[in-house]
Amino acid sequence: MNDFILSSLIFTPLLAALLVLLLPVRLQHTIKAVALAGTVVQMGLAILLYFGFDGTVLANGQQGYQFVEKLNWIGFTLGSLGRFQIDYFLGVDGISISMVLLTGIVGVIGVISSWTITKNVKGYFLLYLLLLTSVMGCFLALDFFLFYLFFEFMLLPMYFLIGIWGGPKREYAAIKFFIYTLVGSLFILLVMIGLYTSVIDPQATAVQMGFAEQGAEAGKAVVTQVQQMLQRNAISSYNLVRTFSIPAMMEPANFIPNSLLHVLSGSVLWDLPLRFIAFLLLFAGFAIKVPSVPVHTWLPDAHVEAPTPISVLLAAILLKVGGYGLIRIVYPIFPDAGAYFAVLVGGLGVLSIIYGALNALAMSDLKKLIAYSSVSHMGFVLLGLASLTVEGVNGAVYMMFSHGIISAMLFLVVGVIYDRAHDRMIQNFRGLAHMMPVYTVFVVIAFFASLGLPGFSGFIAELLVLVGGFGAPEATGLLPRWLTVVAVFGLLLAAAYYLWALQRMFFGKYWIFPELREKATLTDLTTREYLMLVPLALLALLFGIFPHLLLDKIGLTVTGFTELVLQRGQEQLGLILSTLR
């Protein structure tokens, strides 16, 4: 397979964006065709990567990532501060492969959904393709600086896509989204800088010390020797090569003794070890993106004001960057704090599940109902992750993928009724099944898939999270069982708000609010809408009936992740607590 397939995945939309930039504004259909071609190629590469990925290879530390691309991007000597180094470092494992596939699929669906855009078509698709580039980069970057670069770059396209093409309150929603996410980014930046000052790259340090040749990879014995010398303070500061490498940050032996975030540094702030503070800052930064209660309030506004295709991308892909960041960065680097704050993380997950569901039940705007349902369903990701059981973390990853497929379908069906009636208030419609029977079938599929009906992918995800949560007291001792019991009520509430909305809008005698009758044209689905909804419905069924298609890819990586985090978490937590006595 192509040695540069990961770079191709990231930069194919960027290449399409450059072509769009060169095209005259009047060639609107050509611009749309170029955007579609770019996303189709990206999806094809994602599918190729999915089938080429070997789910039997364990990604642990710096070994085991597949299709790795690593180049020294920025590097210069800082004298007594050692060497400054940033790598162009890409790789894929079982956790990221699901997100790559999801991004490829939803990217194409979003372009098809955008086909009716008429306002500033060139600018819209240019920003859309830039957004896809940055999202895919987040899922493939293994260098923290590179990840942060893509993470930050997502802000600008999304800000303008909401602020220019959104609804009546688009400026407010765009600014709120930008401010919330920027605050979270600043938290992440603080910790990233702290980690950089605390961690070395043992491979590059071995080269700097003359233990290995430039351009050659140091052997395991040499790396171990460098790590042992580091812990004995036997390496001159001039030879230290600090790094943003995420796999390097996962190894406790790569932390410089007495550095801020070393396990035994004894650094304390507000009576908490500095590592715990760093964990909380990182968690807050990514929780805003998930989003978790209480930092979720930007999401309903952004969804309501965003155009349908952007709501699809926001719910299906961008929210997953938050959950992915927790799994890829936060827990592997700070497993001690992950174990210490398990109840807090799990509690916030359960709070999101119940609070989001209760808000959805109270909504009269169908799009806002689905926005709050996203808050509720992403709560299962936090609950599964906090359990640190194999089943729970598998469920968290599966939920991110499943919710991406189903939420895309949910926002598309809202877009269908809004395009025809320019209204989405639940109380303004009755008996739509009589006028739009095929559309009603897809609404039923989307609603039942989201509420966790057996046979759909959402059921598998929720089942795994709940099994992991119930087993956590015996398996890990980190979560009390009552948290999972409370989370079950979220499933009942999901059934309530979906079935109630379905009964009010689609069944009974046909009726539409009088002011909408003249402007509403309630025709059934078009060919374009079939092209969007049919693949998503089939995928929700496919991964619900054959969950092994995804679990075989992610299972071994998740097992290695849970073992790594649990073992190191307990060891490091004991060391940290002993230094505070």
Side-chain angles (χ1 to χ4, degrees):
M1 193 178 287
N2 187 349
D3 291 337
F4 301 101
I5 188 171
L6 302 190
S7 292
S8 302
L9 272 164
I10 294 171
F11 295 113
T12 294
L14 183 61
L15 179 61
L18 292 174
L19 291 175
V20 167
L21 186 64
L22 296 174
L23 289 171
V25 175
R26 67 179 184 277
L27 298 179
Q28 294 190 4
H29 288 292
T30 306
I31 289 169
K32 293 176 181 178
V34 169
L36 180 61
T39 54
V40 167
V41 170
Q42 187 187 49
M43 181 179 72
L45 291 171
I47 294 171
L48 186 65
L49 185 71
Y50 171 82
F51 284 108
F53 179 81
D54 185 358
T56 63
V57 175
L58 179 62
N60 183 6
Q62 204 156 345
Q63 307 299 319
Y65 294 99
Q66 298 177 40
F67 307 102
V68 171
E69 299 174 27
K70 189 173 183 181
L71 296 170
N72 188 357
W73 178 23
I74 301 172
F76 50 87
T77 302
L78 295 172
S80 62
L81 296 178
R83 183 171 174 79
F84 181 89
Q85 180 170 302
I86 299 173
D87 294 322
Y88 177 77
F89 189 12
L90 306 177
V92 65
D93 66 356
I95 295 168
S96 53
I97 189 66
S98 59
M99 298 297 99
V100 170
L101 180 63
L102 177 66
T103 304
I105 294 168
V106 174
V108 175
I109 299 294
V111 171
I112 298 172
S113 177
S114 303
W115 216 255
T116 55
I117 293 290
T118 56
K119 178 182 177 182
N120 195 353
V121 172
K122 181 175 179 177
Y124 175 88
F125 282 101
L126 183 64
L127 290 168
Y128 182 95
L129 291 165
L130 290 176
L131 182 62
L132 279 183
T133 296
S134 57
V135 172
M136 188 65 82
C138 280
F139 292 137
L140 293 174
L142 291 178
D143 182 275
F144 204 160
F145 183 88
L146 188 62
F147 173 91
Y148 187 78
L149 200 66
F150 287 122
F151 186 84
E152 279 290 273
F153 194 71
M154 282 191 297
L155 289 179
L156 290 177
M158 182 58 75
Y159 171 77
F160 288 114
L161 286 166
I162 297 173
I164 297 175
W165 288 271
K169 297 181 180 178
R170 56 185 179 271
E171 293 91 353
Y172 168 77
I175 291 171
K176 193 173 183 179
F177 160 79
F178 191 89
I179 291 174
Y180 266 78
T181 311
L182 185 62
V183 169
S185 298
L186 292 176
F187 291 160
I188 295 169
L189 178 62
L190 285 173
V191 180
M192 184 179 76
I193 293 170
L195 283 167
Y196 177 78
T197 62
S198 302
V199 179
I200 69 157
D201 181 344
Q203 297 268 356
T205 301
V207 172
Q208 188 80 355
M209 296 174 67
F211 292 173
E213 293 183 8
Q214 185 74 36
E217 187 171 331
K220 187 175 180 180
V222 174
V223 168
T224 302
Q225 181 185 357
V226 169
Q227 290 171 335
Q228 291 173 347
M229 292 177 66
L230 177 71
Q231 299 308 313
R232 298 196 308 268
N233 284 315
I235 302 177
S236 167
S237 61
Y238 289 87
N239 290 327
L240 294 178
V241 181
R242 291 172 172 83
T243 183
F244 288 101
S245 167
I246 295 170
M249 292 174 177
M250 292 166 56
E251 294 289 339
N254 293 334
F255 279 77
I256 301 169
N258 301 317
S259 61
L260 285 175
L261 296 177
H262 191 278
V263 173
L264 297 177
S265 70
S267 303
V268 174
L269 182 64
W270 300 317
D271 295 329
L272 280 176
L274 207 55
R275 284 180 62 86
F276 288 8
I277 299 292
F279 173 90
L280 292 174
L281 288 172
L282 276 181
F283 177 80
F286 288 116
I288 290 171
K289 204 76 172 179
V290 170
S292 169
V293 176
V295 288
H296 68 288
T297 57
W298 64 269
L299 182 68
D301 293 314
H303 270 313
V304 167
E305 299 305 323
T308 297
I310 303 310
S311 285
V312 168
L313 253 67
L314 178 59
I317 303 176
L318 264 73
L319 303 189
K320 309 306 174 289
V321 175
Y324 177 80
L326 293 173
I327 298 172
R328 167 64 68 228
I329 296 173
V330 183
Y331 272 77
I333 296 176
F334 299 104
D336 39 62
Y340 186 81
F341 291 112
V343 175
L344 172 65
V345 175
L348 287 174
V350 173
L351 180 62
S352 297
I353 292 169
I354 302 301
Y355 182 82
L358 289 173
N359 273 276
L361 195 60
M363 290 299 111
S364 56
D365 183 328
L366 184 60
K367 198 174 188 183
K368 215 164 192 178
L369 180 152
I370 293 170
Y372 275 109
S373 79
S374 289
V375 175
S376 180
H377 282 90
M378 290 302 289
F380 282 99
V381 175
L382 293 182
L383 179 61
L385 181 57
S387 73
L388 284 179
T389 59
V390 173
E391 299 87 354
V393 179
N394 266 308
V397 177
Y398 210 97
M399 174 59 80
M400 290 197 294
F401 180 83
S402 170
H403 180 263
I405 297 295
I406 296 169
S407 64
M409 193 175 179
L410 286 167
F411 281 105
L412 286 172
V413 297
V414 175
V416 168
I417 193 66
Y418 188 77
D419 287 344
R420 286 155 173 74
H422 299 288
D423 189 275
R424 50 178 183 259
M425 303 305 289
I426 295 171
Q427 67 270 21
N428 289 346
F429 301 93
R430 295 285 186 277
L432 288 179
H434 297 288
M435 302 295 292
M436 307 169 71
V438 179
Y439 169 66
T440 303
V441 169
F442 281 100
V443 171
V444 170
I445 291 172
F447 281 13
F448 277 76
S450 186
L451 66 83
L453 185 74
F456 290 101
S457 56
F459 171 75
I460 302 297
E462 290 169 354
L463 178 66
L464 287 170
V465 170
L466 293 175
V467 168
F470 272 110
E474 290 80 20
T476 64
L478 297 178
L479 278 187
R481 190 170 282 117
W482 64 264
L483 276 176
T484 310
V485 173
V486 175
V488 172
F489 287 97
L491 305 182
L492 300 177
L493 292 171
Y497 59 73
Y498 278 130
L499 294 176
W500 193 28
L502 195 65
Q503 183 269 328
R504 284 182 288 168
M505 289 188 72
F506 294 90
F507 300 121
K509 186 179 179 180
Y510 172 71
W511 176 88
I512 186 171
F513 191 66
E515 292 183 8
L516 301 177
R517 288 172 188 169
E518 291 185 5
K519 61 180 181 180
T521 307
L522 299 180
T523 56
D524 221 330
L525 297 179
T526 64
T527 302
R528 181 181 64 87
E529 290 160 348
Y530 275 113
L531 288 174
M532 296 186 295
L533 294 171
V534 170
L536 294 174
L538 292 176
L539 285 169
L541 279 168
L542 180 68
F543 286 97
I545 298 172
F546 304 107
H548 69 275
L549 293 174
L550 191 60
L551 291 175
D552 285 351
K553 299 289 185 182
I554 69 177
L556 193 60
T557 301
V558 167
T559 301
F561 167 86
T562 53
E563 290 176 353
L564 184 79
V565 172
L566 275 174
Q567 179 183 351
R568 289 185 179 168
Q570 291 170 350
E571 291 174 357
Q572 293 178 9
L573 183 59
L575 291 171
I576 290 172
L577 295 178
S578 67
T579 62
L580 298 178
R581 295 188 185 119

